[in-house]
Amino acid sequence: MFYREAGDFKTSYRDDGQTFPIKLDRIGYYAILAIAVLVIPFVINDYWASAVLLPFLIYAIASIGLNILVGYAGQVSLGTGGFMAVGAFAVYKLMTAFPEISVVIHILLAGGITALVGIAFGLPSLRIKGFYLAVATLAAQFFLVWLFNKVPWFYNYSASGQINSPERTVLGWAVTGPAASPSAKYLICLAFVFMAAWVARNLTRGMVGRKWMAIRDMDIAAEIIGVNPLTAKLTAFGVSSFFIGIAGALLFAVYLGAAEVTEAFGINKSFLVLFMVIIGGLGSIFGSFAGAAFLVLLPVFLKNLLVGTLGWPTDLAAHIELMIVGALIIFFLIVEPHGLARLWRLVKEKLRLWPFPH
C-alpha cells in the first residue's frame, strides 16, 4: 500500500511524460542524489574509491555509451576496449601538450576525438549488420590496440610504452596524479556520470532516440517512413563513442593513473562492458547502471567472502570467482534475457498492486 499512483495527479503533458512519473520514484531519486553528493564524499576512503565507487561510475558511463549503440540503435559492437583506449591516449596527449587547459576540457575533447573515430569505424554499418558488423568492430578493437602499441608518438616515445597521468587540478583540488584525494576523484567521476545519464536520457526520449529505435526494430521500414539510415547509424556510433571515450579518459587519468594499452584496454574490456549492458538490460539507462554495479560489486563481494572470510588461497578464489560470475551471467541470460532492468520493472509493478493479486 506504500507504492501507489493514487492521488498523484498530472495536470500537464510535461508532468505526465517525466522520467519518474510516480512521486515515490522522484523522492528516491533525489535522496540517492543527495547521498551521493552530500554524504559519500565525506566518508569515502581509498579502498571504497579504488575497489567499488570509481570503477562503478566509470563503467556506468561506458555501459550507457554501449547501450545507446547496441540497445537503442541495434548495432552490435565488440570494439569498446579500443574506443576506450582512444579516449585514454587522447586525454594523455592533450594533458601533456596543453597543461594550462583544464582537465575537464581535455576529457570532453577526448570524448569528441573518440566520437570521430567511432563514426569512421561505424561507416561499415551502412552496408553490413549483425554478426558481420560485430566482426568489423572487433577488427577495430585489434587495430586500435595495435596502433597504440606500434606508434611511439602516442605514448611520447616512452621506453616502457606506458602512459602516466600528470597531476591536474579542478577548482584547486587535484583530481589526477598521486596527490589526488579519493573524494576529489569520486566527485569528478560523479559529475561526468550525471552528465552522461542526463544527456543519454534526453536523447533517447527525443527524435534522435526514436530514429535509433526505428532503425533497431526494422531498418527498411524506418527508411520508408523517412528515417535516414546514414545519419541515424552514424549519430549512434558518434554519441556512443563519445561516452565510451570519456569513460576511457577517466579510467586512465583519474582511476588508474598509468596504463599500458594491451593490459588496460584489451578485448576483455570490450566483453566486460558488453556483459554489463546485457545483464543490466538492453535499451535501458537504469540497466546500464545495474549491469555496471553487478559486475563491479560481485567480484569484490566474492573475493572478500572466499579469501577474507573463508581463508581460501588467492589463486583458487580467483578461479572460483570467474566460474561463479560466468554461471550467473548464463543464468540471467536464460531466466531473464531482458536483464536486471526488467526484473526491477516487475518488482515495481508488484509493489503497485500489492497486496491485491491483480
Side-chain angles (χ1 to χ4, degrees), residues 18-326:
Q18 56 189 326
T19 301
F20 301 104
I22 300 177
K23 185 176 181 180
L24 188 61
D25 287 339
R26 295 195 296 273
I27 294 174
Y29 167 74
Y30 289 122
I32 292 174
L33 193 61
I35 293 173
V37 176
L38 301 177
V39 177
I40 293 180
F42 298 99
V43 299
I44 191 174
N45 55 30
D46 287 326
Y47 173 77
W48 279 97
S50 60
V52 177
L53 292 175
L54 291 185
F56 163 66
L57 294 175
I58 292 171
Y59 284 124
I61 299 176
S63 297
I64 291 173
L66 187 61
N67 214 338
I68 287 176
L69 185 63
V70 179
Y72 286 98
Q75 308 300 303
V76 183
S77 176
L78 294 176
T80 308
F83 295 131
M84 291 181 73
V86 174
F89 279 83
V91 78
Y92 170 70
K93 295 297 293 185
L94 291 169
M95 291 171 71
T96 54
F98 306 101
E100 68 279 0
I101 299 178
S102 172
V103 68
V104 175
I105 304 298
H106 290 156
I107 293 173
L108 293 174
L109 289 175
I113 294 171
T114 311
L116 295 177
V117 175
I119 291 173
F121 282 104
L123 288 173
S125 67
L126 303 176
R127 292 292 182 183
I128 59 177
K129 56 185 177 180
F131 173 77
Y132 301 99
L133 181 59
V135 173
T137 55
L138 186 62
Q141 162 75 34
F142 289 117
F143 171 76
L144 291 171
V145 171
W146 172 86
L147 181 68
F148 293 129
N149 263 326
K150 295 299 181 181
V151 181
W153 179 81
F154 288 110
Y155 48 84
N156 286 347
Y157 303 94
S158 170
S160 63
Q162 180 176 281
I163 55 176
N164 296 279
S165 175
E167 182 175 320
R168 295 291 183 268
T169 61
V170 174
L171 301 177
W173 295 86
V175 295
T176 65
S181 64
S183 58
K185 294 190 288 186
Y186 164 77
L187 286 174
I188 190 71
C189 291
L190 181 66
F192 277 102
V193 167
F194 182 82
M195 180 272 297
W198 182 78
V199 171
R201 180 60 177 166
N202 283 276
L203 282 176
T204 54
R205 282 160 55 92
M207 183 181 295
V208 176
R210 293 188 180 97
K211 290 181 179 179
W212 291 342
M213 289 182 276
I215 290 292
R216 174 197 65 190
D217 294 338
M218 187 174 292
D219 52 353
I220 297 176
E223 189 173 2
I224 290 174
I225 64 175
V227 176
N228 189 337
L230 173 65
T231 57
K233 292 183 179 181
L234 292 188
T235 52
F237 269 95
V239 173
S240 171
S241 300
F242 176 76
F243 289 140
I244 292 173
I246 287 178
L250 291 173
L251 184 69
F252 155 69
V254 178
Y255 178 55
L256 296 177
E260 195 276 328
V261 62
T262 306
E263 295 181 0
F265 303 104
I267 186 63
N268 290 336
K269 194 73 68 181
S270 298
F271 284 115
L272 175 64
V273 180
L274 182 61
F275 290 151
M276 290 178 180
V277 171
I278 293 174
I279 290 176
L282 293 172
S284 169
I285 303 299
F286 171 78
S288 301
F289 285 95
F294 181 84
L295 286 183
V296 168
L297 294 176
L298 183 63
V300 175
F301 170 75
L302 291 176
K303 183 176 181 180
N304 285 310
L305 175 65
L306 299 178
V307 179
T309 304
L310 301 179
W312 290 11
T314 305
D315 54 348
L316 176 61
H319 289 91
I320 298 297
E321 173 189 322
L322 290 175
M323 294 171 61
I324 294 175
V325 171

